Amino acid sequence: MSALAVLAPRLGSGPRLDIDLGAVAANTRLLAGRATGELMAVVKADGFGHGALGVARTALAHGATRLGVTSLDEAWALRDAGLAVPLLSWLNPVDADWATAAARDVEVAVPSLEHLAAVAAAPGRHRVHLHVDAGMARDGADPACWAQLCRAARRAEQRGEVEVVGVMGHLGCADDPSDECNALGRTRFAWALETARATGLRPVDRHLASTAATLTDPRAHHTMSRVGAGLVGIDPSGTVALRAGLTLTAPLVSVRRVRAGTAVGYGHAHRTAHPTYLGLIPLGYADGLPRPASDRAEVLVRGARRPLVGRISMDQCVVDVGPGGAEPGETVTILGPGDDGEPTAADWAGWSDTIEHEVVTGLGARVRSRT
Ligand SMILES: *Cc1c(COP(=O)(O)O)cnc(C)c1O
């Protein structure tokens, strides 16, 4: 048998992103147990990089009763796949396709008078959640306009154009339960609910908490929690051990022996201190490895952490596998739950001064299409 035949199967296997839906199931059960109301599974950004459909189906099978996304385009994909549960989309421009949303039974958030007018004017009967800014000056209606928005929504409801089924808000500092901004957000949300009731609205879904407040602050739960990060194993509050859902591995494309003082990669940003072996990994920043992690990150080679050396390039990076060497084709682990000592998303976030959310959602289409 030729050497090629032996090598071919190993060389043919490229980077792999394995998604552990069992972890999503366990995380969902834990979150559903903590939420005092219903659980909405937020599967925006392709389920935080874990595949929106898989995460949605798994979460619905383990305690979530609804789905949430940002854009209507994300909502269509879920409906196209046959998911018929209640579904909310909360971030759309004023001229979005509200008629199709109504026809496909997608509930939409209304954060402004302009949105309300556009939704009400579109054909169909629209189930809407009025969105109040609970104190982060991002999405949601300015409290100064809230009463006016509630009155306009009530008139639209009386005309049969919309049905206000919900009121939503979002907390800006829930990852730090001790931050006083949380109490201000809860108070503002309670005021927004009162104002809505006083104008005659009867929103049955009242939701403020995402993952962090679901885990740390029952006072924010109301009738529903919207959780995304927690489903895929990220706890922004750092209070619960959730299970990570991604493992990223890659084969070493090549291994070379180098002398001490060898310059590695663009800008010669690294020089080897000792004679060693360098392994080439076919993943770079275009695959979502954050470039700021250059010369800081580690990967798992033969059960041990080994440093990435030199700058992470667009499509590739280099690991110093040490004097023991490694074989071309050998699998290295870039990121995983950490069970075998491999780096976690939290490690990568630390190396690149960001949060786990950005690491997992950044592992982009190229990695996923290869798997
Ligand atoms: C992303 C998002 C969520 C989910 O937040 P997690 O912290 O990921 O659970 C909830 N609500 C809104 C408005 C969001 O944008």
Side-chain angles (χ1 to χ4, degrees):
M1 193 163 67
S2 76
L4 246 189
V6 174
L7 286 175
R10 290 198 305 176
L11 293 176
S13 60
R16 274 184 67 99
L17 189 68
D18 286 305
I19 295 164
D20 178 6
L21 291 176
V24 174
N27 296 332
T28 308
R29 287 194 296 268
L30 187 148
L31 289 156
R34 293 291 190 93
T36 55
E38 273 187 76
L39 197 70
M40 172 186 283
V42 176
V43 295
K44 63 191 183 184
D46 200 19
F48 289 58
H50 294 60
L53 288 179
V55 174
R57 290 199 178 101
T58 304
L60 290 168
H62 292 272
T65 50
R66 306 168 177 229
L67 298 173
V69 290
T70 47
S71 71
L72 284 172
D73 283 335
E74 293 173 311
W76 308 153
L78 298 172
R79 286 289 186 250
D80 289 346
L83 290 167
V85 297
L87 167 56
L88 171 65
S89 161
W90 58 73
L91 186 66
N92 293 288
V94 170
D95 65 351
D97 187 356
W98 309 116
T100 302
R104 303 198 74 177
D105 213 9
V106 176
E107 299 174 4
V108 295
V110 165
S112 74
L113 284 165
E114 291 80 6
H115 283 82
L116 179 68
V119 171
R125 187 172 161 84
H126 306 274
R127 291 165 62 83
V128 306
H129 297 237
L130 300 185
H131 188 175
V132 65
D133 173 17
M136 60 190 297
R138 196 184 66 168
D139 198 4
D142 186 328
C145 309
W146 181 249
Q148 198 188 351
L149 179 63
C150 289
R151 286 193 298 272
R154 178 67 186 137
R155 288 193 296 274
E157 200 168 58
Q158 285 165 330
R159 290 193 297 269
E161 296 162 349
V162 305
E163 186 186 349
V164 178
V165 294
V167 168
M168 67 183 284
H170 193 58
L171 295 169
C173 315
D175 56 337
D176 178 4
S178 69
D179 195 307
E180 65 187 21
C181 131
N182 293 301
L184 291 173
R186 288 195 309 269
T187 304
R188 188 180 281 185
F189 190 67
W191 164 84
L193 291 176
E194 254 172 57
T195 306
R197 277 193 73 80
T199 49
L201 298 171
R202 295 292 177 266
V204 289
D205 301 325
R206 303 179 292 275
H207 40 116
L208 176 64
S210 55
T211 296
T214 300
L215 292 172
T216 62
D217 190 359
R219 291 167 298 181
H221 290 191
H222 295 273
T223 68
M224 181 159 73
S225 289
R226 303 183 307 267
V227 300
L231 300 176
V232 299
I234 299 171
D235 171 14
S237 73
T239 57
V240 174
L242 297 169
R243 179 124 192 102
L246 286 185
T247 300
L248 177 61
T249 57
L252 292 176
V253 169
S254 62
V255 179
R256 73 171 68 200
R257 191 175 172 194
V258 297
R259 304 161 191 248
T262 301
V264 184
Y266 283 124
H268 290 187
H270 178 86
R271 270 181 203 277
T272 53
H274 309 282
T276 188
Y277 289 85
L278 301 178
L280 178 63
I281 297 171
L283 289 169
Y285 57 78
D287 304 291
L289 299 192
R291 190 168 173 278
S294 297
D295 250 334
R296 299 167 82 181
E298 299 168 341
V299 300
L300 198 73
V301 184
R302 296 189 173 179
R305 291 275 193 111
R306 295 290 176 195
L308 290 191
V309 290
R311 290 195 189 136
I312 294 171
S313 305
M314 185 181 294
D315 318 290
Q316 48 194 305
C317 58
V318 174
V319 53
D320 184 338
V321 298
E327 293 294 319
E330 230 175 273
T331 297
V332 303
T333 305
I334 315 299
L335 169 154
D339 296 343
D340 300 318
E342 75 276 14
T344 62
D347 290 327
W348 278 94
W351 292 324
S352 47
D353 296 323
T354 185
I355 56 175
E356 293 161 81
H357 310 55
E358 187 180 352
V359 172
V360 299
T361 56
L363 296 174
R366 188 158 76 175
V367 176
R368 277 175 273 159
S369 69
R370 280 164 163 170
T371 63

